[in-house]
Each structure stands twice: as structure tokens, then as C-alpha cells.
């Protein structure tokens, strides 16, 4: 139950330097790299190429669903193990913190310190376009490193040069700057990246380009603008009551002006990216299976997420390729095509999807029948938004095709109760987004080469819609065109006004944490903009960031939440006489085991709910059995204890030049307090 902390690790480059966690532990790069290294464009490329590894991807040889499991631990989807975010008192201050790390930042600053003077004096030989690309990449990667730290820690030191190995300047540079300044610094770096990056990368869609930087810039601006808006009046914003930062660093800070600035930047940065794709969205044929037995695409929108080569998809701005011949591969298709993948959509996620007529399922004329849940997943999803239908494994979903005769191999719903943390379908709504059909590679040593999307242009459409409404309180013609295009592709009535008029926020609040901001329900229009974002970006690693920036977890403080999945009790799934009853691999009935005390249970008790409650199956090592809760300190991560003692002149926490995040203790192993 330790909180998982993502630490950015930058691997060794050709010249042999490696990363570590502290300035004082590092050997100066100047003693490792020849003076002439940065005079050659090809070596500049080798240097910046090393940083591509910090961008999100499926990983290599990991037995998971790759990026498609990144939203686990939210109201969208869950894994088998509960997240300590929702168990106050379990997530504790660590000894050290992976986010308080400057090794990668130092390496990029070393690049700038050597390259920029040579660039300005024409002292670099080689192809000019390669030089420009490398400089643009370096600015982008520094922005990304700051983004990873800023969104977890908020206030953070801004360091633009390589510091000497002396304590005084290191301490001076360690002072945390207000988060809005850090966000502005990231935007400034991305402006420089945009100026240097090409429209089309020489690496194709495996490399960064202008649109990637524009989209990322819009993402950062939206994050900060909405964070300031919805955390206003708390210690989580600069100058707020109880903010632990240095007021002298605020300058003429005005939070309302900052909110307007960042939302405006989100609008201006997202528009060119969105405009370039809105009339060229990848087609959704609505085919329930993405590929035929010859592995040809039956639905381009579906296969955009599971194809090997993503260059042909208009929305994909950048992706990571995997090649078996070079031992660069993943194991995600072994998960998708063999079991439940250790994840599952929540009942709340499924219930938030509209009927194709544009009405919520609770609306009088929606056409939805609650009795469908008794008939299984496929029946439950009938008549819905195409996205939840094509990206969810149903009762008759094809997992793959036989290598012997090409016959379909169907998904087995029994994975709801079979398997472990990497193979269960935790909620019964098994995830299909990202699942391919070619079993040849999945079978051969569990290897696959499914491309991993890094940036998708459609996100820009959603950013524009949200930022425009947040800033102006209304949508314009541009936002209108974006929204209608997304709904048309999802096979939903494009008249979103009809949806807004039928929206009852108290109903939506049952299923969607995004219905709230700072403990209060938002307007139906804003909620439906958030709904569209939730559905289009499902399983694309955006949900937790959204919930945090919206301050959409406050309600859990006083209202513990139970995650639910499919309806099980009293349905075809636990009826031995039904052809849809859950079965073992040998075809026999898979009887549920209800035992919450000794860890042998496979199903939550009917006394709790007719719906599967994954976190009420066992009490063992389960702090959220009685519901998911929250403390506001968890909106940010803690800084590890050792960083305070190292950032002081005498090794004492009390004299440290840095401060802890609100609610968190500086002492190792301490739980946060409310604020």
C-alpha cells in the first residue's frame, strides 16, 4: 500500500554519463564529455535522443496493459489493488522523493550551456535542420521534466544553468518558486521548442514536431488555469491562506488575472492543432471488432489504438514504435488477448455514457432499460455511445483468431473471478481499447509491437472547448464545431444542447467525480464538456490529472465512495442454467466464493450490492473496504524527509530552505493532516 512514486530516470547516452538523484553526488559532465562533442550536429541528436525515454509509453516487457492501465485508481477504471490516494493515513511521507530530482534537468541545462553559444556563433557543423530539431527537443524535454515535477509538487525551483558543486549556490537555487511561475517557465520553454521544432520531424511520427509542443503547451496551460480556479482560497495556490511559500516571490500576483492568462494560452495553443484535425478525424465505422481474420482493419478509429504502425492515422502526432528484431517490444497483447488485463471500467464510467439519441440513461425518453443489466454486458451497452461499445469486451467479444484454422477465439467473462492482479477483469467491464487481434506475436514469448501513442491531436479539441467555457462562460462557433465532430464520430446525436437540457447533476454525481469542483456540483454545460473529455480520452492517462486540477475529490472527504462493476447477483452470470454463466477454462460453472475475512473470496457479498464491488471482496490488506475517502493533502505529493536535511546549512529540517506541501509532515513515515 505504499504510494507509487514515478521517478524520471534518464538512461546513459553514447558518451557514458548516467543519472543520479542529487547534485552533490554527480560527477561534472564537463569531465566526461570532450570539448568538441557539441560541435557536431549528429552528436547533438544523439544527446537529445536519449531523453525520449522519459515520455509515457507501454514500457518494454511489462506484463500489463501498458498506457491503457494508466487510469487505474480513478473513477474511470481500477486495478485489483486499491490506491493509497483514497486511504488517508496509508500514504506516508517517504524518506526520499523521486519527484525532488534534478539529474535530468541538469543534463539538459548542460546541453544548453554548451550548445547555445556555439549555435549563435555558427560553431556547429552538420545539417542545420538537425541542429534546430535537437535544440527544440532539448527545450521540450526540459519542459516535460518540469511538468512531471510541477504537477506532483506544485511549487518547484527554477534552474536554467549548471550549478557549481558548492553548497551555497545549490541551496540558493533550491528555493521553491510559486507554481504559477513554474507553469509560466514551462510555457516559455515550449515557446522556444515550437520555434525550433519542424512541422514534420525527420524521425517521422516517432519524433517531436511543432504540433506536439503546441498540444503539450495547451495541456499545461489548461492544468494551471483550472488548478488556480478550483483550488482558489486554499493553501494549494500561491498566496492562499496557509500557503507555505515566500510571499516576496509573488510579485504583483493576482490569481484572477493568472487564471485568465493561462486559460487564454490554452485556447491559443490548442486551436491550430485542433483546426488541423477537426475535418480529418479518423473514421469510426462502428464495427464491434476492430480487425478481421487477416488482421485488416474493420474500424480505423479502433485500430488507431492497437496498430503497429500509427503513421497513417491523422490524429496521431507522435507515437513510440516497437520492433521485435531489435528486442524492443511489450507484453500488452498477451494481456489483452488472454485475460482481463488486471483492470476494468467502473459502473460509474459505463453509466456516464449517453444513449445514441444524446440522452443520459436516466432520461425518460432515453430508451435505456435497467433490466438489460440482468442480461449481461453486451445487452447493457446496447444503444450507447459507440466508444463504450467498441472499447469494452462483451459476452461475445472476439479476443483473437485461431492460428490453426482462423476461427474466432472468444473472451471468457470468468476472468472477473479468475486470475490475479495482472489478469483479472476487476469490474467485469474488461477493457478493449488497445487490444489487437494478431495472436502470433502475443503467443511467441508473450511479445507484441503495438505502437504507443504519445500525443493525439484530438486532445486539443477538448482543451479548446473546456478552456473557452472556463474563461468566457460560453462556447463559440469553433468549440461548437469541435464538439459536434466528436459526437458524430461517437455515433451520438450531435445536438449537445439536448443533452445539457436533460442533464440532472444529482444523477450524474452518482457516477462521475468530475460532476464536482471543490465539493460543489458544476453547471450542466461544464459537466458535459468534462463528460466528453472523459469518454474520448478513456484509458489515455489523463483522468487523475483532471480530477486533481478540478478539485474533484473533495466530496470524498465526507462521502466515502464504493466502486462498482457489472451487475452479477441475480443475472445470467451466476445462473448455472444460462449459456452466459461465468465459466472456468474447462467450461464448468464458476461458482462465486463469498468470504471477506480470509482472502479466499472471489465475489463481493450480495448483501452489499447486486453489483460487483471489487474492494469489498476481502478485508485483508484493504484500507478502502468501507469506501474510498480523501484528504486534501493528497492533491499534491509529499517531498521526502532527506531533501529537507540536505537543503539546509546544518543538516536540520528546521533550517531547510525548502518547505513541505500543505498537510504533509517532513518526518519519514508520517501521515498527512487535514487543512
Amino acid at each position: 500500500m505504499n504510494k507509487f512514486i514515478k521517478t524520471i530516470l534518464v538512461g546513459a547516452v553514447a558518451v557514458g554519463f548516467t543519472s543520479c538523484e542529487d547534485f552533490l553526488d554527480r560527477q561534472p559532465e564537463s569531465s566526461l564529455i570532450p570539448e568538441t562533442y557539441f560541435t557536431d550536429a549528429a552528436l547533438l541528436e544523439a544527446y537529445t535522443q536519449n531523453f525520449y525515454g522519459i515520455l509515457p509509453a507501454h514500457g518494454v516487457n511489462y506484463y500489463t496493459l501498458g498506457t491503457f492501465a494508466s487510469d487505474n485508481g480513478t473513477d474511470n477504471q481500477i486495478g485489483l489493488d486499491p490506491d493509497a490516494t483514497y486511504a488517508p493515513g496509508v500514504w506516508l511521507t517517504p524518506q526520499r522523493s523521486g519527484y525532488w530530482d534534478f539529474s535530468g534537468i541538469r543534463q539538459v541545462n548542460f546541453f544548453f550551456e554548451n550548445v547555445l553559444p556555439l549555435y549563435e556563433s555558427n560553431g556547429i557543423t552538420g545539417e542545420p535542420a538537425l541542429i534546430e530539431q535537437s535544440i527544440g527537443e532539448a527545450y521540450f524535454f526540459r519542459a516535460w521534466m518540469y511538468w512531471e515535477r510541477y504537477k506532483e509538487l506544485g511549487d518547484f525551483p527554477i534552474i536554467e544553468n549548471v550549478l557549481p558543486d558548492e553548497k551555497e549556490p545549490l541551496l540558493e537555487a533550491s528555493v521553491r518558486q510559486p507554481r504559477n511561475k513554474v507553469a509560466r517557465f514551462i510555457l516559455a520553454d515550449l515557446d522556444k521548442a515550437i520555434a525550433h521544432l519542424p512541422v514534420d520531424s525527420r524521425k517521422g511520427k516517432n519524433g517531436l514536431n511543432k504540433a506536439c509542443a503546441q498540444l503539450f503547451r495547451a495541456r499545461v496551460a489548461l492544468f494551471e488555469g483550472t488548478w488556480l480556479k478550483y483550488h482558489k482560497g486554499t493553501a494549494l495556490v500561491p498566496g492562499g491562506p496557509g500557503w507555505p511559500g515566500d510571499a516576496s516571490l509573488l510579485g504583483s500576483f493576482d490569481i484572477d488575472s493568472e487564471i485568465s492568462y493561462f486559460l487564454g494560452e490554452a485556447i491559443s495553443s490548442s486551436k491550430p492543432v485542433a483546426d488541423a484535425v477537426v475535418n480529418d478525424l479518423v473514421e469510426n465505422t462502428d464495427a464491434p471488432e476492430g480487425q478481421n481474420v487477416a488482421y485488416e482493419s474493420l474500424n480505423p478509429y479502433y485500430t488507431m489504438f492497437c496498430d503497429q504502425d500509427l503513421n497513417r492515422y491523422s490524429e496521431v502526432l507522435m507515437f513510440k514504435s516497437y520492433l521485435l528484431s531489435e528486442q524492443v517490444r511489450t507484453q500488452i497483447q498477451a494481456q489483452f488477448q488472454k485475460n482481463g488485463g488486471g483492470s476494468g471500467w467502473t459502473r460509474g464510467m459505463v453509466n456516464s455514457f449517453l444513449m445514441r439519441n444524446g440522452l443520459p440513461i436516466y432520461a425518460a425518453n432515453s430508451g435505456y432499460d435497467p433490466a438489460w443489466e440482468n442480461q449481461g454486458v453486451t445487452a447493457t451497452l446496447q444503444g450507447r455511445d459507440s466508444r463504450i461499445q467498441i472499447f469494452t469486451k462483451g459476452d461475445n467479444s472476439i479476443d483473437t483468431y485461431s492460428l490453426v484454422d482462423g476461427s474466432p477465439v472468444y473472451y471468457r467473462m470468468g476472468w472477473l473471478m479468475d486470475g490475479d492482479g495482472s489478469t483479472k477483469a476487476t469490474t467485469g467491464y474488461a477493457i478493449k481499447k488497445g487490444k489487437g487481434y494478431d495472436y502470433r506475436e502475443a503467443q511467441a514469448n508473450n511479445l507484441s509491437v503495438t505502437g504507443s501513442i504519445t500525443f493525439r491531436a484530438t486532445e486539443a479539441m477538448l482543451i479548446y472547448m473546456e478552456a473557452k467555457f472556463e474563461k468566457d462562460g460560453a462556447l463559440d462557433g469553433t468549440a461548437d464545431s469541435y464538439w459536434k465532430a466528436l459526437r458524430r464520430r461517437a455515433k451520438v446525436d450531435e445536438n449537445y444542447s439536448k443533452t445539457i437540457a436533460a442533464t440532472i447533476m444529482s444523477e450524474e454525481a452518482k457516477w462521475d467525480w468530475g460532476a464536482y469542483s471543490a465539493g460543489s456540483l458544476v453547471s450542466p454545460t461544464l459537466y458535459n464538456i468534462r463528460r466528453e473529455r472523459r469518454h474520448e480520452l478513456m484509458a489515455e492517462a489523463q483522468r487523475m490529472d483532471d480530477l486533481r486540477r478540478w478539485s474533484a475529490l473533495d466530496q470524498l472527504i465526507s462521502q466515502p465512495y464504493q466502486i462498482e462493476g457489472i451487475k452479477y447477483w441475480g443475472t445470467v452470470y451466476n445462473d448455472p442454467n444460462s449459456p452466459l454463466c461465468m465459466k472456468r477454462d474447462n467450461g464448468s460453472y464458476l461458482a462465486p466464493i463469498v468470504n471477506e475475512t480470509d482472502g479466499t473470496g472471489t465475489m463481493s457479498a450480495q448483501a452489499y450490492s447486486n453489483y460487483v464491488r471489487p474492494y469489498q471482496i476481502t478485508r485483508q490488506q484493504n484500507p478502502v473496504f468501507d469506501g474510498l475517502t480523501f484528504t486534501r493533502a493528497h492533491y499534491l505529493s509529499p517531498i521526502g524527509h532527506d531533501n529537507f536535511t540536505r537543503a539546509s546549512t546544518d543538516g536540520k529540517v528546521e533550517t531547510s530552505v525548502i518547505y513541505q506541501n500543505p498537510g504533509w509532515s517532513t518526518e519519514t513515515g508520517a501521515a498527512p493532516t487535514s487543512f
Side-chain angles (χ1 to χ4, degrees):
M1 291 304 302
N2 291 327
K3 179 66 180 176
F4 177 69
I5 301 296
K6 299 175 184 175
T7 305
I8 292 180
L9 298 176
V10 182
V13 294
V15 292
F17 63 83
T18 58
S19 70
C20 62
E21 293 184 337
D22 184 64
F23 282 147
L24 302 181
D25 296 333
R26 289 192 50 78
Q27 184 176 2
E29 285 88 345
S30 58
S31 66
L32 298 170
I33 298 178
E35 291 183 4
T36 58
Y37 183 85
F38 291 112
T39 61
D40 186 324
L43 293 178
L44 263 61
E45 181 183 39
Y47 194 102
T48 57
Q49 180 67 30
N50 177 64
F51 294 109
Y52 273 87
I54 71 175
L55 298 176
H58 294 322
V60 178
N61 294 341
Y62 296 133
Y63 200 48
T64 72
L65 296 184
T67 61
F68 300 107
S70 297
D71 281 342
N72 278 353
T74 68
D75 58 339
N76 281 13
Q77 65 188 86
I78 62 165
L80 183 64
D81 296 321
D83 193 312
T85 299
Y86 311 109
V90 174
W91 186 8
L92 309 174
T93 299
Q95 187 75 16
R96 302 192 72 175
S97 170
Y99 290 115
W100 194 263
D101 168 65
F102 302 87
S103 55
I105 293 170
R106 181 185 176 96
Q107 290 174 12
V108 181
N109 286 342
F110 182 74
F111 174 91
F112 289 134
E113 199 165 275
N114 286 273
V115 171
L116 293 183
L118 291 170
Y119 172 74
E120 293 166 0
S121 63
N122 297 317
I124 304 172
T125 60
E127 186 180 349
L130 184 55
I131 299 170
E132 293 289 335
Q133 171 92 28
S134 299
I135 292 174
E137 288 174 341
Y139 278 117
F140 183 97
F141 288 127
R142 186 168 69 178
W144 186 271
M145 293 173 193
Y146 265 93
W147 159 252
E148 288 290 326
R149 291 152 177 79
Y150 139 87
K151 69 176 180 174
E152 293 296 332
L153 299 178
D155 305 341
F156 198 74
I158 297 176
I159 302 171
E160 299 184 70
N161 49 25
V162 178
L163 300 171
D165 190 10
E166 300 169 8
K167 192 148 193 173
E168 185 175 340
L170 289 174
L171 290 179
E172 183 179 349
S174 295
V175 173
R176 298 178 70 183
Q177 298 295 319
R179 62 173 298 125
N180 66 302
K181 286 189 175 181
V182 181
R184 281 177 174 263
F185 175 70
I186 294 171
L187 297 191
D189 262 4
L190 289 171
D191 283 334
K192 296 169 187 173
I194 292 166
H196 289 282
L197 287 171
V199 172
D200 298 305
S201 170
R202 60 188 293 114
K203 302 178 179 74
K205 288 190 176 183
N206 287 149
L208 291 166
N209 54 46
K210 285 186 187 295
C212 292
Q214 289 170 322
L215 174 58
F216 180 36
R217 191 179 190 279
R219 183 189 298 179
V220 175
L222 179 66
F223 189 97
E224 182 63 6
T226 50
W227 180 286
L228 293 176
K229 180 173 183 176
Y230 291 113
H231 291 281
K232 182 180 178 181
T234 76
L236 296 173
V237 298
W243 178 62
D246 182 354
S248 69
L249 298 176
L250 291 176
S252 57
F253 174 78
D254 176 77
I255 192 166
D256 292 325
S257 296
E258 287 294 278
I259 293 169
S260 179
Y261 166 75
F262 283 110
L263 293 176
E265 294 302 300
I267 292 169
S268 61
S269 292
S270 61
K271 190 174 187 299
V273 181
D275 283 347
V277 76
V278 62
N279 295 317
D280 191 26
L281 293 178
V282 175
E283 181 188 11
N284 175 15
T285 64
D286 207 22
E289 302 298 347
Q291 292 175 307
N292 61 20
V293 67
Y295 309 120
E296 299 165 331
S297 177
L298 300 175
N299 188 340
Y301 179 56
Y302 181 96
T303 55
M304 173 169 60
F305 299 99
C306 69
D307 214 338
Q308 298 177 9
D309 183 1
L310 306 184
N311 281 291
R312 66 190 180 96
Y313 297 97
S314 58
E315 291 171 49
V316 176
L317 299 179
M318 180 183 162
F319 74 102
K320 176 180 174 62
S321 293
Y322 293 85
L323 298 171
L324 287 179
S325 61
E326 297 183 14
Q327 300 299 299
V328 181
R329 64 272 202 250
T330 77
Q331 294 185 340
I332 69 170
Q333 293 307 333
Q335 293 285 78
F336 272 125
Q337 298 175 27
K338 288 184 177 181
N339 51 63
S343 186
W345 308 129
T346 65
R347 180 187 176 207
M349 173 72 153
V350 171
N351 282 355
S352 70
F353 276 89
L354 302 170
M355 301 298 287
R356 295 197 175 199
N357 58 20
L359 294 176
I361 62 171
Y362 53 77
N365 299 317
S366 72
Y368 177 74
D369 184 350
W372 291 344
E373 292 180 300
N374 299 329
Q375 302 167 30
V377 169
T378 301
T380 300
L381 300 182
Q382 62 185 294
R384 296 286 191 92
D385 182 318
S386 176
R387 290 170 291 196
I388 193 61
Q389 291 184 311
I390 67 175
F391 292 138
T392 306
K393 292 185 180 183
D395 310 306
N396 55 357
S397 287
I398 298 173
D399 256 353
T400 186
Y401 298 98
S402 169
L403 298 179
V404 177
D405 59 8
S407 60
V409 178
Y410 293 98
Y411 172 68
R412 182 171 64 86
M413 289 294 297
W415 285 108
L416 173 67
M417 292 183 282
D418 275 350
D420 56 23
S422 65
T423 57
K424 275 184 179 291
T426 53
T427 65
Y429 289 116
I431 294 169
K432 194 176 165 190
K433 190 173 188 178
K435 186 190 78 65
Y437 290 78
D438 188 345
Y439 193 59
R440 292 169 297 178
E441 292 173 351
Q443 186 186 53
N445 299 316
N446 292 335
L447 305 180
S448 60
V449 289
T450 301
S452 180
I453 297 176
T454 312
F455 294 106
R456 186 160 73 95
T458 321
E459 181 190 347
M461 298 166 64
L462 296 159
I463 290 174
Y464 184 96
M465 290 161 51
E466 183 181 348
K468 187 66 177 176
F469 188 82
E470 289 282 17
K471 186 175 187 295
D472 299 336
L475 299 174
D476 61 4
T478 299
D480 174 81
S481 68
Y482 295 166
W483 202 347
K484 288 179 177 177
L486 291 172
R487 287 171 66 112
R488 282 195 301 270
R489 180 170 67 179
K491 311 304 179 185
V492 174
D493 187 334
E494 69 178 45
N495 182 8
Y496 56 82
S497 295
K498 178 171 72 171
T499 305
I500 294 169
T503 297
I504 301 172
M505 290 306 299
S506 59
E507 289 291 327
E508 302 295 349
K510 298 175 182 178
W511 320 120
D512 193 333
W513 293 347
Y516 291 94
S517 275
S520 298
L521 294 174
V522 301
S523 73
T525 301
L526 179 57
Y527 169 72
N528 278 287
I529 292 170
R530 291 181 179 182
R531 187 209 305 263
E532 195 68 48
R533 179 179 176 87
R534 183 188 197 189
H535 296 169
E536 181 61 29
L537 299 181
M538 57 198 294
E540 294 187 47
Q542 300 270 9
R543 186 59 172 178
M544 181 55 80
D545 287 347
D546 288 345
L547 295 172
R548 290 160 68 197
R549 67 185 176 87
W550 292 333
S551 187
L553 299 171
D554 288 23
Q555 70 280 1
L556 300 182
I557 297 172
S558 59
Q559 303 171 33
Y561 187 91
Q562 282 290 351
I563 295 289
E564 291 188 329
I566 64 170
K567 190 175 184 181
Y568 175 79
W569 295 106
T571 73
V572 293
Y573 291 137
N574 79 312
D575 178 1
N577 297 316
S578 169
L580 291 180
C581 73
M582 292 195 179
K583 299 178 181 179
R584 299 182 178 89
D585 278 330
N586 63 11
S588 62
Y589 173 56
L590 187 60
I593 300 173
V594 178
N595 188 329
E596 65 187 54
T597 59
D598 67 3
T600 63
T602 60
M603 179 57 59
S604 53
Q606 187 174 13
Y608 294 129
S609 175
N610 284 328
Y611 297 87
V612 178
R613 288 191 169 182
Y615 296 148
Q616 285 196 314
I617 294 175
T618 180
R619 290 183 180 273
Q620 290 194 350
Q621 297 181 316
N622 181 10
V624 300
F625 186 90
D626 295 319
L628 279 63
T629 56
F630 191 69
T631 178
R632 301 201 82 249
H634 286 185
Y635 278 121
L636 292 175
S637 295
I639 297 173
H641 169 80
D642 285 357
N643 296 301
F644 297 98
T645 57
R646 290 186 304 182
S648 68
T649 56
D650 56 6
K652 296 180 179 180
V653 172
E654 295 76 17
T655 58
S656 180
V657 300
I658 63 175
Y659 48 85
Q660 184 60 284
N661 278 327
W664 288 100
S665 170
T666 57
E667 295 305 310
T668 304
T673 58
S674 61
F675 66 92

